[in-house]
Amino acid sequence: MRPPGGISSALNPAGALLLTTICACGGDPQEASEAAPAAESFVFPAEFEPHRALWMAWPTYENKRGLSTEPLLIDIIRATEGRVAIELLAQDDAEAGRIRERIRQEEVPDGHVAIHAVPHGDIWMRDMGPIFLRGDRGGLRVVDFGFNMWGYESPDSPNSRLEEAVDRHVADLLGLEVVKSALISEGGSREFNGKGVMLAVEAVELQRNPGWTFEAMEEEFRRTLGISKVIWLAEGMAEDELTFRGRLPGGVYTVITTGGHVDEFARFADPETILLAEVTEEERRTDPIAAISHERLEESFRRLSAATDQDGNPFRIVRVPAPDSLFETMRAGDGVFDYIQPLEYEDGSTIAPDDAIKVVAAASYLNFQVTNGLVLAQKYWKPGMPESLREKDERALAILREVFPGREVLPLDAMAVNLGGGGIHCILQQEPRRAVR
């Protein structure tokens, strides 16, 4: 067992991923069948179940120049001390040393932090990181879905190949079996109640997998994730629309967003309770971007109201306010601008290299992370902003405290991450505690 706070590498000295081969030996098949115990059963646990660790990756660029995401990661490390281990990816051992020094300069306890040399291009561990399944006999395994940069690139692009390998590197670090899937799918596009029910978004999964039917996708989710039922929602938030679709009302661009990940708008608080974002009628009338989200959220409400859990019972649906539309200006030199400027836009939009563009942040109160005794939440109000936004912050946090009793709800400023197309939940991936044998 490696000591807490250690630095390790996911690659062997030759730079190749280490593989484990399992050999089936000879013998009488009938005798083997009679003697062998039943196979271990694996499932993806609900996020509100106990964790051993949270995995995250050190950032490689700034979404908006001068607005670093590093302070948010430091805040998360500080908040999780004494609650859950932090497994942090660095590019190499040299960067790992610099990160360790940075943490100590911030006077943050780091005994619960291990740093690993695993090459990565971005911080979205929810999507390209390991998808841990827990076995009923104490085992863990990792599911390796395909990855294509949320539909922005082909699966064979250098960026896609780099990110798609992260989960296998982590599995190798831990000595875990990897289950491969041909389905292209990201962790933020799936939400689980821990009893066999999964929420998924049609617009996301179909865009990634145009040759797949709903039935084929559901069967693959059952095979890989141990679920028994999928509830399909139609679309996500307007501010999460794929950037290459084109501009939103008012000439606004999204920020390398996912096309509708469920963790931006619908989350399980317990096996029977679903939190669903809400845009009010007044907000719909006064904000054309919110108007799009309003229609999509009400369709989700209709579907969830008609849905049942694994036992055929209706869900309790709790509505949570959606933040106001929050805007920023991006220019050359901003990481987001430099990526989206050369994209081919479906609506015919073009961005010149010297343009200044208006973007909308992927802001959400539901992109929170639940872990042991703690909910890492997002807040938005700052001095000078409308009091209505501060009231929304307070209402959303009050709801989270109500539906997660016994856990501290800690609001953090995640705008630096929101301006890259995600939030706190998107940059973390939980590793569950192993089942008691």
Side-chain angles (χ1 to χ4, degrees):
M1 179 181 295
R2 52 187 169 73
I7 297 173
S8 58
S9 174
L11 304 179
N12 66 15
L17 181 66
L18 300 175
L19 300 176
T20 300
T21 301
I22 301 175
C23 176
C25 300
D28 187 319
Q30 180 63 33
E31 288 182 4
S33 175
E34 291 175 353
E40 185 169 13
S41 177
F42 287 83
V43 299
F44 188 95
E47 187 173 310
F48 42 78
E49 297 182 46
H51 301 162
R52 186 199 73 82
L54 294 177
W55 288 78
M56 61 186 185
W58 198 253
T60 60
Y61 66 94
E62 293 177 339
N63 296 311
K64 181 172 174 61
R65 185 170 45 187
L67 188 60
S68 174
T69 56
E70 293 178 8
L72 176 60
L73 271 65
I74 296 293
D75 286 343
I76 291 171
I77 291 171
R78 180 182 289 109
T80 52
E81 195 268 333
R83 299 181 186 271
V84 64
I86 293 292
E87 307 284 353
L88 178 60
L89 305 190
Q91 294 297 328
D92 50 37
D93 288 346
E95 184 182 59
R98 292 192 294 272
I99 295 169
R100 181 70 68 187
E101 181 59 29
R102 169 71 189 280
I103 294 171
R104 288 170 178 162
Q105 287 176 354
E106 298 284 345
E107 299 183 347
V108 176
D110 65 352
H112 65 306
V113 180
I115 306 179
H116 312 279
V118 176
H120 58 278
D122 218 326
I123 60 176
W124 310 114
M125 286 294 282
R126 178 65 46 179
D127 294 341
M128 87 280 193
I131 306 299
F132 292 102
L133 301 190
R134 185 186 63 209
D136 58 0
R137 297 179 186 173
L140 287 180
R141 62 170 49 157
V142 168
V143 181
D144 177 23
F145 289 100
F147 188 67
N148 68 350
M149 301 295 291
W150 309 278
Y152 290 82
E153 302 182 22
S154 81
D156 295 324
S157 75
N159 286 332
S160 295
R161 290 200 304 270
L162 175 65
E163 302 292 59
E164 200 275 331
V166 168
D167 54 2
R168 296 192 300 278
H169 291 340
V170 171
D172 181 65
L173 276 172
L174 301 178
L176 300 181
E177 173 193 5
V178 175
V179 176
K180 179 67 177 175
S181 176
L183 196 69
I184 295 175
S185 184
E186 305 100 31
S189 68
R190 305 181 298 268
E191 178 74 6
F192 302 82
N193 79 338
K195 300 293 184 180
V197 179
M198 184 181 97
L199 304 182
V201 180
E202 295 173 359
V204 175
E205 303 299 342
L206 289 175
Q207 194 277 335
R208 309 295 196 267
N209 303 282
W212 290 64
T213 65
F214 285 113
E215 292 77 14
M217 287 191 288
E218 289 182 8
E219 179 57 34
E220 184 67 352
F221 287 136
R222 281 192 289 270
R223 181 186 77 86
T224 56
L225 298 171
I227 56 96
S228 58
K229 185 174 188 176
V230 180
I231 299 173
W232 290 99
L233 305 179
E235 296 179 281
M237 304 291 285
E239 53 266 43
D240 198 23
E241 188 56 84
L242 288 165
T243 304
F244 58 77
R245 297 290 191 211
R247 293 175 291 180
L248 297 176
V252 176
Y253 290 90
T254 58
V255 284
I256 324 181
T257 32
T258 67
H261 272 185
V262 72
D263 64 0
E264 291 285 322
F265 70 98
R267 303 288 306 278
F268 282 109
D270 59 45
E272 296 83 32
T273 303
I274 298 174
L275 307 179
L276 178 64
E278 183 175 39
V279 171
T280 66
E281 285 292 335
E282 180 179 355
E283 291 166 340
R284 179 185 66 82
R285 290 191 298 270
T286 58
D287 180 348
I289 295 176
I292 299 172
S293 292
H294 172 84
E295 294 303 319
R296 296 178 179 186
L297 290 170
E298 293 315 299
E299 173 61 21
S300 292
F301 179 72
R302 286 188 285 271
R303 294 191 183 197
L304 292 172
S305 296
T308 56
D309 67 11
Q310 68 284 344
D311 298 318
N313 299 314
F315 291 101
R316 171 194 177 208
I317 302 173
V318 177
R319 303 304 295 267
V320 180
D324 298 343
S325 297
L326 300 173
F327 303 103
E328 187 55 85
T329 300
M330 295 276 190
R331 298 180 174 83
D334 296 327
V336 166
F337 181 96
D338 293 343
Y339 188 85
I340 71 174
Q341 182 268 320
L343 294 178
E344 293 184 8
Y345 288 89
E346 294 179 356
D347 69 347
S349 298
T350 59
I351 303 175
D354 59 350
D355 276 350
I357 61 171
K358 186 178 182 180
V359 300
V360 60
S364 171
Y365 293 118
L366 293 183
N367 201 279
F368 54 78
Q369 174 70 49
V370 184
T371 192
N372 307 333
L374 180 67
V375 180
L376 296 166
Q378 301 186 144
K379 63 178 180 179
Y380 294 100
W381 183 86
K382 295 182 179 67
M385 300 179 80
E387 284 298 306
S388 60
L389 184 58
R390 177 155 66 174
E391 293 170 2
K392 275 191 179 182
D393 282 1
E394 293 172 352
R395 291 205 310 275
L397 294 171
I399 293 170
L400 293 181
R401 292 185 179 104
E402 176 185 348
V403 299
F404 292 111
R407 298 182 201 252
E408 178 188 1
V409 175
L410 178 64
L412 299 174
D413 180 359
M415 182 55 67
V417 173
N418 296 160
L419 286 171
I424 286 175
H425 191 248
C426 303
I427 65 173
L428 297 167
Q429 181 60 265
Q430 67 271 4
E431 177 190 333
R433 287 183 189 163
R434 293 173 184 256
V436 177
R437 293 177 186 269

